[in-house]
Amino acid sequence: MVKLRFRYDNLKAFIEKDQIRLFDAEFSLHHKNLYSGKGKGSEFTGWVDLPSKTSNDLLSRIEQDALKIAKQSEVLVVTGIGGSYLGARAVIEALSNPLDGLMERTGKKSPLVLYAGHHMDEDYQFHLMDLLDQKDYSVIVISKSGTTTEPAIAFRLLKSHLENKYGKEEAAARVYAITDASKGALKKLADEKKYATYVIPDDVGGRYSVLTPVGLLPIAAAGFSIHKLIGGAKNMEKFLKENSGLSDNPAGLYAVLRNVLYQKGKTIEILAGYKPSLHYFIEWWKQLYGESEGKEEKGIFPAGAGFTTDLHSLGQYIQDGLRNLFETVINVETPQNEVQVPNDPDDLDGLNYLEGKRISYVNAMASKATMLAHVDGGVPNMEIVLPEITEETLGEMIYFFEMGCALSGYILDVNPFDQPGVEAYKKNMFALLEKPGFEEDTQAIKKRLR
Ligand code: PA5
């Protein structure tokens, strides 16, 4: 049985039961097509049975490399962008002490994980290298295509820094490359330099790749159990496969309900969490849904919010602004640690009525109160409930959202596994940078900018 629960009782005011039933047959068809590889983009459905097909040999190899990284490094720099970055960060930050970077590292079993190659800010790169002057570190460089500009620039800098600091041989022993089996500049470089290398399967696209070495190596190196993560995903895989009727399949229901809401003019979905540690999980979800569905001039815009923080900024708009929003809220029942509101004899702040209550209780009441207020304000609300944040429940939630996304894309009648739109800016950027091969585009774009 899976631990994740999907609730949609708060949609009663917005969607009639009959409207859901209208999707029974369509859901069954898409569900079948995903498993038989007959839907759109089926060459990229390797993620569907990925958890159950992940071998213990692969997990053991990853764990051995993770131990090696931990032994030789105070800091691990994970270099990648988009699907080659967000999944690892989502899981690592959800499971980590957010103040870990400020703690003394002596005696720590795992390195502090930092990120590079996910933007092109020169100041960030400068400060990173400045810090790395003082730290022992390793690098995991991830790129499926092996040619993406942001991680390629960051890795060029890191490679040179590593080689200057440790010499070429030791530098090579501190680099782990995760890329295509045979093509791309990173593959060529990894072969030449004899870096330890992992393969991203051909049939798994970037944003569906967190359960491949792309996510697994950084997550293991950060000190978390990839066996449990894969175990959780495997449970969800089995559950969603076995439950082929819409009413028993929570990922199918999520996919259908968001499309019904979309058809009613709710064109923006906010995924909200009440734990700051879920920030990057929400970022991962934004990429998954944005890149999968936003095409052919349609698709729900995926937005994120961190509550209660954003109730003091976006809260006004959500409650009273344009009524084109719906929310999916991730609620976590039990935190890992316990902190209670203390007694204060003076009670000048008037908080003694909360004395002895856990902060998580106050947070949970804020969540319930907000949900009702938003529903009253015309914002439909769905809920994902996790008993706690662990590798296992994160594995479940990752697979739940992957399946929900694929089914939702099929209902929307788009190919949820391609991303033609991300090339447009790159073509212009290469033209402006005067990359060889873009000469005609360079001339044309320069005229437009005059
Ligand atoms: O999901 C995707 O395909 C993209 O977000 C890619 O992951 C991202 O652009 C990075 O690409 P690559 O792994 O080829 O460097």
Side-chain angles (χ1 to χ4, degrees):
M1 204 49 193
V2 292
K3 294 181 174 164
L4 176 151
R5 301 191 314 274
F6 173 64
R7 288 194 186 143
Y8 58 101
D9 340 357
N10 280 316
L11 291 187
K12 276 189 203 119
F14 305 92
I15 296 179
E16 317 240 317
K17 264 199 175 152
D18 290 350
Q19 289 179 289
I20 305 174
R21 281 202 206 109
L22 289 176
F23 283 84
D24 278 348
E26 192 177 349
F27 163 75
S28 293
L29 175 72
H30 297 322
H31 187 261
K32 207 164 100 207
N33 281 347
L34 265 177
Y35 293 102
S36 58
K38 289 202 181 115
K40 284 186 179 177
S42 59
E43 65 279 25
F44 288 110
T45 47
W47 58 272
V48 173
D49 57 355
L50 184 69
S52 58
K53 116 186 143 188
T54 302
S55 71
N56 280 333
D57 284 354
L58 176 66
L59 296 181
S60 301
R61 187 190 154 205
I62 291 176
E63 282 172 338
Q64 275 163 22
D65 277 336
L67 279 179
K68 208 172 126 201
I69 291 172
K71 260 194 205 143
Q72 66 189 7
S73 340
E74 299 165 271
V75 168
L76 168 66
V77 186
V78 176
T79 307
I81 195 167
S84 290
Y85 146 76
L86 283 164
R89 191 162 191 179
V91 174
I92 292 169
E93 302 222 349
L95 293 168
S96 295
N97 167 357
L99 306 179
D100 194 34
L102 300 172
M103 313 285 273
E104 177 59 57
R105 301 229 61 81
T106 327
K108 287 258 170 194
K109 285 199 198 112
S110 311
L112 177 69
V113 182
L114 298 177
Y115 300 87
H118 53 303
H119 53 66
M120 291 188 284
D121 179 38
E122 191 165 339
D123 285 327
Y124 179 88
Q125 198 66 44
F126 175 88
H127 293 305
L128 178 64
M129 314 256 268
D130 202 28
L131 176 81
L132 295 176
D133 281 343
Q134 303 157 34
K135 304 280 180 195
D136 272 323
Y137 73 101
S138 300
V139 176
I140 300 178
V141 54
I142 310 166
S143 178
K144 187 171 189 205
S145 63
T147 54
T148 307
T149 310
E150 293 90 336
I153 291 178
F155 184 62
R156 180 181 272 225
L157 286 158
L158 288 164
K159 177 168 74 72
S160 149
H161 188 274
L162 273 170
E163 288 178 353
N164 288 336
K165 181 165 175 154
Y166 296 106
K168 287 197 173 171
E169 201 176 316
E170 189 179 340
R174 286 174 176 272
V175 176
Y176 299 79
I178 307 178
T179 188
D180 186 85
S182 55
K183 53 183 190 302
L186 180 57
K187 170 68 184 154
K188 214 168 137 212
L189 183 65
D191 285 349
E192 186 117 332
K193 297 273 181 185
K194 299 198 171 38
Y195 297 150
T197 304
Y198 287 89
V199 170
I200 309 176
D202 277 345
D203 56 0
V204 180
R207 57 191 176 274
Y208 288 84
S209 70
V210 52
L211 300 174
T212 73
V214 168
L216 297 178
L217 181 61
I219 292 165
F224 301 111
S225 168
I226 51 175
H227 280 275
K228 289 185 184 159
L229 184 77
I230 291 288
K234 212 158 123 176
N235 288 344
M236 187 57 86
E237 177 194 327
K238 187 166 177 285
F239 181 75
L240 296 178
K241 186 173 185 181
E242 285 172 359
N243 287 290
S244 54
L246 178 56
S247 55
D248 300 321
N249 190 300
L253 281 167
Y254 173 60
V256 164
L257 292 168
R258 59 200 301 283
N259 274 281
V260 175
L261 292 168
Y262 177 62
Q263 286 164 12
K264 289 175 183 284
K266 305 292 182 190
T267 56
I268 298 174
E269 177 178 10
I270 300 174
L271 183 68
Y274 280 78
K275 289 174 84 63
S277 60
L278 287 176
H279 175 81
Y280 276 96
F281 193 92
I282 294 170
E283 292 298 302
W284 170 82
W285 171 89
K286 274 160 64 177
Q287 188 214 0
L288 180 62
Y289 280 74
E291 268 190 0
S292 299
E293 292 194 314
K295 50 197 70 159
E296 299 174 29
E297 300 192 3
K298 50 188 178 178
I300 296 164
F301 182 84
F307 292 158
T308 58
T309 314
D310 285 335
L311 292 175
H312 298 257
S313 65
L314 297 173
Q316 173 59 39
Y317 192 105
I318 297 172
Q319 190 67 49
D320 283 340
L322 201 61
R323 300 297 71 192
N324 59 350
L325 308 171
F326 67 98
E327 277 177 332
T328 301
V329 180
I330 303 173
N331 279 316
V332 180
E333 287 175 319
T334 313
Q336 300 302 323
N337 303 286
E338 189 164 340
V339 180
Q340 293 171 359
V341 179
N343 175 269
D344 183 335
D346 298 331
D347 197 25
L348 294 175
D349 53 11
L351 282 179
N352 271 358
Y353 77 101
L354 291 177
E355 183 199 333
K357 296 273 191 294
R358 290 181 68 168
I359 308 288
S360 54
Y361 167 78
V362 184
N363 208 19
M365 292 308 112
S367 174
K368 283 189 202 300
T370 307
M371 195 172 313
L372 293 176
H374 287 180
V375 167
D376 291 347
V379 179
N381 223 295
M382 298 185 273
E383 196 186 1
I384 309 278
V385 183
L386 299 181
E388 56 185 339
I389 296 278
T390 61
E391 289 94 331
E392 198 187 344
T393 58
L394 287 171
E396 284 189 11
M397 188 159 65
I398 286 169
Y399 193 88
F400 168 87
F401 276 126
E402 287 180 345
M403 182 54 81
C405 184
L407 290 167
S408 183
Y410 279 172
I411 294 169
L412 190 67
D413 196 21
V414 296
N415 175 355
F417 309 116
D418 67 1
Q419 55 284 328
V422 299
E423 295 311 313
Y425 97 91
K426 290 185 193 167
K427 187 170 155 251
N428 286 350
M429 179 179 74
F430 292 143
L432 286 172
L433 290 170
E434 302 186 25
K435 184 174 175 172
F438 285 78
E439 290 77 6
E440 271 181 34
D441 294 317
T442 300
Q443 280 189 3
I445 204 162
K446 282 198 170 166
K447 272 191 207 142
R448 284 179 64 190
L449 288 180
R450 247 183 236 144

